[in-house]
Amino acid sequence: MLKQLKSICEIALKDIEECQEIKQLNELRVKYLGKKGPIQEAMKMMKDLDTEARKELGLVSNETKFTISTAIENKQKELENLVIEEQLKNDFIDVTLPSRKRALGQAHLTNQIITEIEDLFIGMGYSIAEGPEIETDHYNFEMLNLPKGHPARDMQDSFYITEELLLRTHTSPVQARTMLKQGGKGPVKIICPGKVYRRDDDDATHSHQFFQIEGLVIDKNITMSDLKGTLEYFVKKIFGENREIRFRPSFFPFTEPSVEVDVTCAKCSGSGCSMCKNSGYIEILGAGMVHPDVLKMGGFDPEVYQGFAFGMGPERIAILKYGIDDIRQFYTNDLRFNNQFNLK
Amino acid sequence: MLLPLKWLKSYVDISGISANDLAKKITLSGIEVERVYPMSKATNCVIGHVLEKTKHPQADKLSVCQVDLGSEVTQIVCGAQNVDKGQKVVVSKVGATLPGGVKIKKAKLRGEESNGMICSLKELGIENKFIPQEFQNGITVLDEKAPVGVDAIEYLGFNDTILELSLTPNRSDCLSMLGIAYEVSAIIDKDINKPYGEKIAYSINPNFKVKINSDDCPLYYAKTIKNVKIKRSPEWLQSALISCGIRPINNVVDVTNYVMLELGQPLHAFDFKKLNSDEIIVRNAFKNETIVTLDNIKRELLPTDLVITDGKKPIAIAGVMGGQNTEIDENTCDVVLESAVFNPLTVRKTYTRLGLRSESSIRFEKKVDPERTIYALNRACQLLVELVDAEIDDKLSVENNINDKINSIEIKLEKINRVLGITLSDEDVSLVFRKLKFDYKLSKGTFVVIIPSRRPDIMIAEDLIEEIIRIYGYDKLNKTLPQTNTVASLSENQLKIRKIKSVLLAQGLNEVMTYSLTNPKYFNRFSHHEVNSLLPVKLSMPISEERSFMRPGLIHSLVEVMSYNNARKNNNVFLFELGKRYYLNQGEPCENMVLAGACSGVIVENKWQKKKEVCDFYYVKAIIEQVFEKMSLDKQISFAQADKSVGADFHPSRSAYILYKNKEIGIIGQIHPNSQREYDINETYVFEIILDQVLDAKLEENKFKAISKYPTVTRDIAIVVDKDITVSTLSQAIASKGGRNLKSVQVFDVYNGKNVDKGKKSIAFSLMFENVERTLTDNDVNKIYDKVVKHLEDSFNAILRK
Ligand SMILES: [Zn+2]
């Protein structure tokens, strides 16, 4: 009997070993471990045996059952794995095929520049001040030391709506409004970005509408050296650490002294080339110390307070940064143009 | 302003400094030099004497000339009409180069040998508008005494370098050679040779009187000059004018222009014989008075204009233009010469109104130096004596109402250093004042500086600080940061704008920027309730119709951008703009922040997968919802089906008003097919939202809400209702009866067609219930469900589909 079991076990293990499919394996399970299987048959015979022999047969038949069922289980796992592997092989995809991507939108280049500059100055403790685009002559000119009939008004021919109302020609009226709000008490530390308008015919270098960012700092001890340090920091952040600035005297009615600020040419780094008309420098902004009359009109005592102001054009900065040849492209919005630029 | 270096050299020693270096120094000290260029690039040109002129045998328009060049007599064929025997002319010899690169070679012209070229001034590189009238269309003919064989460029004074200066409006002192000389002498620390002495003594002319009857003329000098012979000026005077961009006319006019360029004081010459009196009266014009000016145009005058009269009629508009009635002509022999000071604002107003900006008027407008008025008059007289042997009456006619107040400014060294942020010494500052030729006194750290009358731009201490630092050198400023400590962040509104933008960009919309000024014919485009009752803001003097109104909305601009891009084969265009709209409210201009968008085409596509999503109303609606979600204002936003009053540019049944707290703040919709055709665009969806209220909204603080531990229960309701009952109405009705356990209502099916009566639609909602404290029983949910169904049946005649 024991011998018989042993040979059954061997045959069973051989059958399992050779088995190729799960279905066949299930048949083998029934065949060897089922109620009519040889192990069950052997168990049935146990009652005719003496205690000792019964004990031995029980042990052996259990062992055999365990061996066979373990083999079946292992085989089953093996066969299942084969099936999954086959399936996974069939699941192959070419990961290099193009994705289904929805394009991200792009901020307008001018606004990218403005945002970058805003963040830079917020980091230095400047707030962002805003004001109306339709301004009064008073805020746009008179508060900035440009009384009616002042020849410097020619420098910025304006779009008037009525005799007293016009489209602001710079963002300086925001400075004037901010100063008045302060009620003569410093400090003031703001930048004013916004749209401005000039009575110019549009061409490659002129636009009747453009953006400006002006800055204003007023406190008891603000010096022109502070202006230079601030603008140098700005220029290095925006244009690159290797760029240098230069002050050149100029004239604005609202600042005294007034300067034009040049930055070393990107192309030749100061040695002179066609881009900078051989000067080595490119003009990027105007600045100066706030004129005492402007401080006074803004409610500040010029004996106590000093300040500096500066103004720049984000479009001009973009033009210099990217070598754009026509300012009108900023307003045409050909997406092939707009989508070329992606600052940080 | 053009600066010929030869002229500058007569006042200040610039030897050893190249023109380019000088230009750089001048630029860095305050006056931008835009260009440095040679007056003429011509080489190898000499003075020739035309000995013979014969007609060219083969060509009517050519002459064959025998010309003495000093070293030789040679034959030159000339095409100019005005060439003639006996003339002294400019000849560019064989081997010469002319401006523009023309090389002169030996040549045969129609069979006749030609060894050189007789030149016009234009061929020497002089702009046509500066060439004397008589030589505009031919060769230039030199003075008969011109020495044959001598270098013609040198003889003409064209061997000069010109600096083109761009003056800021405050530096009127540099509108003269002498003024620039002062500037240059300060920059390079040299002395100056003034062309006139210290004080002029004069006696009053009893026979010719000057009278001022206006506050607009503080000072008027006149001198009478007899026996003038009007003719061409000598070459040196002509070339001096040409080098400064002024065309020579005749000796008297040229002298007045020369003195104006030299000293900055404009002069005017009247023909004495044409005056009807022995006096000049300066007064304001009468109402309805007229004058015919030198350009032969009759000018209507206003009482704000200042005129020079002979006691009866106006003979000039002061500082602006002379009258034709007293014009100098070839027969003039007696002259009255004027040197005066006029009110800058009066001159400016008059010339602006009449469009008569001239070399004189800009100088009067920017203030002439009253100290030089009399010197200028004397200098002109002296030149006229030299040039035309004129007889000058030594006596002077004058009225002077100027009070000679000395302008002095006090400034402390401490103040200078406090503004500049550097530490200058007394000596540093003194040196600058000496360079500038400003008299000053220094005591105990305070400077008292006498400002010369040539510098009317210096009025306050800060002006002096600018003088100090620009001469001392801006490169010597320190680079420091303000010691003011402030903290800053974006304002709530600015933050909201950035949030809005971040959503739109993430959704694939591209930001554009368009013009605020537009054509009035677009004023009513895409009007909706929020816009169409507004009055436009109109410019009083636009450049063009195209840019004459402030836009009342943004959609039109965006649709134009759509059209532009569609026309360039970009069919998937998603745009937005954050900008302002403008209108009048009871006469007051208003501006609102507006968000607008235009979307068209494929949102996302993968061709090889054959998957794509195309823009439709609901896609754009989602974007708007997300914008408000980002601002935590989604609960306040709803959409209402647009009615018939929606603007004609919108699809009448695919548009909606956007409501914020049930108040209309904008619109979303498909563009009407007619407008779509008109703009030549693809199917496009647009939106526009007035953001002001949204930006001003105070955000409620977020509070934590407990998440339920108990399972949710879902029930579906399918009903048939009239087609025009909106989902939002039904959802609200369901929510109103759902109680606090109803967590959400979602549409999962909308159907009309087979098995649904015409005019009806079938809608299926999925209702989700949840309680934070316990598991909801079937019974709980059934109760609510029945209430909801009953309400739908009662209020909307809904039929429940089983
Ligand atoms: Zn360069």
Side-chain angles (χ1 to χ4, degrees), chain A residues 105 111 133 197 209 219 226 258, chain B residues 466 480 484 505 511 516 582:
Chain A
N111 262 337
E133 291 172 24
Y197 305 84
Q209 172 184 324
D219 204 351
D226 292 341
S258 304
Chain B
E466 176 165 80
T480 49
T484 304
L505 293 175
E511 187 184 26
S516 309
Y582 315 82

Side-chain angles (χ1 to χ4, degrees), chain A residues 265 267-268 272-273 276 280:
Chain A
C265 173
K267 213 165 153 189
C268 66
C273 69
C276 55

